[in-house]
Amino acid sequence: MDRRRFMAGTATATAGALVVFAGASPSSAQEASGTTAATGADGADGSGGDHVKGLTAITQVFGAGQKLVAVAVEYDREIDGRTLSTSTFTVTDRTVTKVYTNRSADLAERARYGRYVIVELSPDDTAAALWVTQQGGGTPPTGGTGTGTGDSGGGVGAGGPKVGDTTPGGTIVAAKATLTQAGTVTTAHGTQYPASTTALTTDAVKNLIVDDFQQFTFADPATGQTLNYNLFVPKDYNPRKRYPLVLFMHDASVVNVATEGPLVQGLGAVCWASPEDQARHEAFVLAPEYGSVVIDDDYLPSTLFDATANLVESVTQQYSIDRQRRYTTGQSMGAMMSLGLNIKYPDLFAAAFIVAGQWPEAQAAPLAKKDLWILVSADDTKAYPGEQAITAVIQEQGTQVSTALWDGQSTAAEFAADVRSMKAQRTPVNFAAFEAGTVVPTGSTTSAHMATWQVAYTIPGIRDWIMRQSM
C-alpha cells in the first residue's frame, strides 16, 4: 500500500479492537484512467464539483496525537486567492479557520494564484482527532472504538496492561472530510465557478512528517522476535557521513495498533524528524511498534526488550550511524525501557530523554554514568516518586543532578528559558517536573501521567541538549 494513503479508508480488526485506517485506493476504473476526481455524496458532480479534480485531507501530529487540519481542493485551473474567504467552503462538523491558494497540497500561504485551495480547519474541533484513547484525545467514531486499557493512571501496571498483553489502548481514525463549495470561486483569468450544494469527500491523504518515515520489519535471530518499525532517513543522506540516531519507544496505549501507531499518537517520534529539527540536527529516527506490552511494574521485560537493542545495532550496521551519538527516548513503558536498556546495555546510547517512567532504584546505580534529561509531572503518582528515587541513587554515586519545577502551561518562550536555566548548570543529569495541577488541560479527562508527554516533546531545547551529547 502507498504509505501516503495509510490513513484513508478501510477498517481492520486487530486483537479484538477495531482499528480504522485511511488509505482506500481509488476504484479499479479510476486506477486504470489515472484519475481520482472527488464525487458528490449522491455519486454525481455538482456545478462546483465539475471543476474539482480531487480533495486531499492534510493531517498534522500534535502532542495529543494526529489531527485532520486542512483539506486541499485541486481545481482544473489556477484560482485567484484574493477572492476566497472562510465562508467560501463548509466542511461537515468542522470549523474553517483560513482559506488560501497554493501551488501544491501544502500548508503554506505563498501564492496569490494556485490550482490548490487550502481550507484550514481548527485542530480544536472534536472531529479533528485521528488518535483516540480511553483518556480523551477525541471521540471514537462509530465502528472505530479502541477497547484496550491503554496507559492508565500512573503508568504500566497498577491494574493496567501486563507484559504480553496485546489489546490496543488507542484507535487510529480514518482521515476523511466532507466539503461543500458554498461560495463562488474565481479563476486567475476571471472565470467564476458558482456555489454548489454538492458535498465532496476527500479521496487522498497527506500526513505531514509521518509520510517521511518508511516502514520495515526486523526478524531478530537472537530472540526469535519480529519487530515492525518506522525509520526516518535524513533527506540528503550521504553514506560517507556519520549521523546520530534517535530511538523512540511508545507507551502501552499504542501496543498492537498499527506499524505507524508511534508516529500518530503524539510527538515523541515525529518531532525529531521535523524540518526544523533536521535543519539543526540531521538524524535518523527509529520508532518500533510493539505487538504486545514489553514491560510492567514487575520490571521483568519480554524478549522484545532485547530485540529492541538488537534492532538498534542492526540499523546502525545498515546505515552510516555514529555509534557515539545514539540516543533513546520514550514515554511511560517506553521511558521504562529507555532506563532499563541504559542499565543493561551501557554502551548503546550516549544520552536519554526519559518522559514519565520509572525503574527500581536498587538497579539504578549504572545510570550515574549516563547523560539524562528526565521530565515528569509532580502529580504522577508512580513516575514522580520513582524518578526521585532514581535521581537520589545517581547523586549518591557522586553525579551532579540539576532539579527544577516547571509550569506545565508555560509558553514556548518560558519553556526555552527554563531549559536554558538548567543547561547553564552543566550537569550530566537534569530532572525537571511539572508542578502539580499544571499539565492537564482545563476540562480534559487525561491523567497527569499521559498529559506529561503531550507537553514534553513540544520543548525543542531539551532535544537540542540531547543531540549535543556524545559517548
Side-chain angles (χ1 to χ4, degrees):
M1 183 191 303
D2 184 342
R3 60 191 175 87
R4 291 185 178 272
R5 291 181 174 269
F6 93 93
M7 297 293 296
T10 58
T12 303
T14 305
L18 191 63
V19 180
V20 183
F21 297 93
S25 300
S27 68
S28 57
Q30 288 174 326
E31 289 179 345
S33 65
T35 62
T36 56
T39 57
D42 61 356
D45 289 343
S47 58
D50 289 339
H51 301 283
V52 174
K53 299 187 66 177
L55 272 70
T56 300
I58 301 176
T59 75
Q60 183 178 354
V61 180
F62 295 81
Q66 189 180 53
K67 299 183 179 185
L68 199 163
V69 297
V71 176
V73 186
E74 183 183 6
Y75 282 90
D76 56 0
R77 298 181 186 179
E78 286 197 333
I79 303 302
D80 185 348
R82 298 172 298 178
T83 66
L84 302 171
S85 72
T86 54
S87 62
T88 306
F89 298 90
T90 61
V91 179
T92 304
D93 296 327
R94 300 302 305 274
T95 304
V96 176
T97 59
K98 199 173 185 180
V99 179
Y100 52 89
T101 50
N102 203 349
R103 300 192 184 281
S104 61
D106 291 297
L107 300 181
E109 191 173 0
R110 297 173 182 166
R112 177 180 295 180
Y113 305 107
R115 292 170 68 95
Y116 292 86
V117 173
I118 310 300
V119 182
E120 290 196 15
L121 309 170
S122 172
D124 297 326
D125 292 340
T126 300
L130 301 177
W131 170 250
V132 180
T133 69
Q134 305 306 303
Q135 290 199 39
T139 302
T142 302
T145 302
T147 58
T149 54
D151 234 34
S152 59
V156 178
K162 298 295 184 181
V163 167
D165 283 356
T166 59
T167 305
T171 301
I172 299 175
V173 181
K176 282 188 174 294
T178 301
L179 173 145
T180 302
Q181 182 189 313
T184 300
V185 171
T186 305
T187 71
H189 295 290
T191 302
Q192 291 189 332
Y193 295 160
S196 171
T197 58
T198 302
L200 307 174
T201 302
T202 53
D203 51 42
V205 179
K206 184 169 188 174
N207 303 293
L208 301 178
I209 304 180
V210 171
D211 285 340
D212 297 329
F213 282 76
Q214 302 174 60
Q215 286 68 50
F216 300 101
T217 299
F218 171 63
D220 182 22
T223 63
Q225 288 282 4
T226 298
L227 267 176
N228 294 326
Y229 66 95
N230 304 277
L231 183 67
F232 174 86
V233 178
K235 181 179 179 181
D236 297 317
Y237 171 63
N238 182 350
R240 290 175 292 185
K241 294 173 55 178
R242 292 287 179 183
Y243 295 82
L245 177 143
V246 179
L247 168 69
F248 169 75
M249 292 175 287
H250 61 74
D251 61 277
S253 72
V254 192
V255 160
N256 204 27
V257 170
T259 301
E260 295 88 353
L263 308 180
V264 304
Q265 59 85 58
L267 291 168
V270 297
C271 64
W272 310 88
S274 71
E276 296 80 11
D277 275 52
Q278 286 291 307
R280 297 194 305 273
H281 311 286
E282 278 190 303
F284 282 76
V285 185
L286 173 63
E289 203 283 328
Y290 298 103
S292 61
V293 173
V294 182
I295 192 166
D296 57 28
D297 285 352
D298 292 330
Y299 302 101
L300 299 173
S302 73
T303 51
L304 287 170
F305 179 84
D306 295 302
T308 302
N310 297 336
L311 170 61
V312 172
E313 289 292 357
S314 176
V315 173
T316 300
Q317 294 172 13
Q318 186 177 357
Y319 296 92
S320 185
I321 305 296
D322 186 350
R323 290 181 173 274
Q324 305 302 309
R325 297 185 63 210
R326 296 184 299 196
Y327 312 107
T328 181
T329 186
Q331 56 206 33
S332 193
M333 181 182 82
M336 294 166 69
M337 291 178 67
S338 289
L339 290 166
L341 286 170
N342 269 287
I343 292 169
K344 185 171 183 179
Y345 300 96
D347 298 325
L348 194 58
F349 302 110
F353 182 22
I354 308 298
V355 181
Q358 70 274 349
W359 197 265
E361 63 267 28
Q363 303 174 25
L367 295 174
K369 299 180 180 179
K370 306 302 297 184
D371 291 328
L372 307 173
W373 197 299
I374 300 166
L375 192 55
V376 67
S377 179
D379 43 359
D380 187 331
T381 57
K382 293 184 68 67
Y384 183 53
E387 292 295 359
Q388 287 180 309
I390 286 174
T391 52
V393 171
I394 289 173
Q395 288 175 309
E396 289 171 1
Q397 297 295 311
T399 299
Q400 291 185 313
V401 178
S402 296
T403 61
L405 275 176
W406 291 353
D407 183 345
Q409 298 178 17
S410 294
T411 64
E414 289 168 339
F415 276 133
D418 289 335
V419 171
R420 286 195 300 271
S421 179
M422 291 199 79
K423 288 166 63 176
Q425 300 180 55
R426 299 184 180 279
T427 57
V429 177
N430 299 286
F431 180 24
F434 294 127
E435 294 178 274
T438 68
V439 77
V440 178
T442 302
S444 173
T445 58
T446 301
S447 67
H449 179 66
M450 296 187 75
T452 299
W453 59 78
Q454 295 181 8
V455 178
Y457 291 104
T458 67
I459 307 174
I462 298 177
R463 302 197 298 275
D464 290 338
W465 182 88
I466 292 290
M467 298 294 290
R468 290 189 174 98
Q469 308 311 307
S470 182
M471 295 281 281

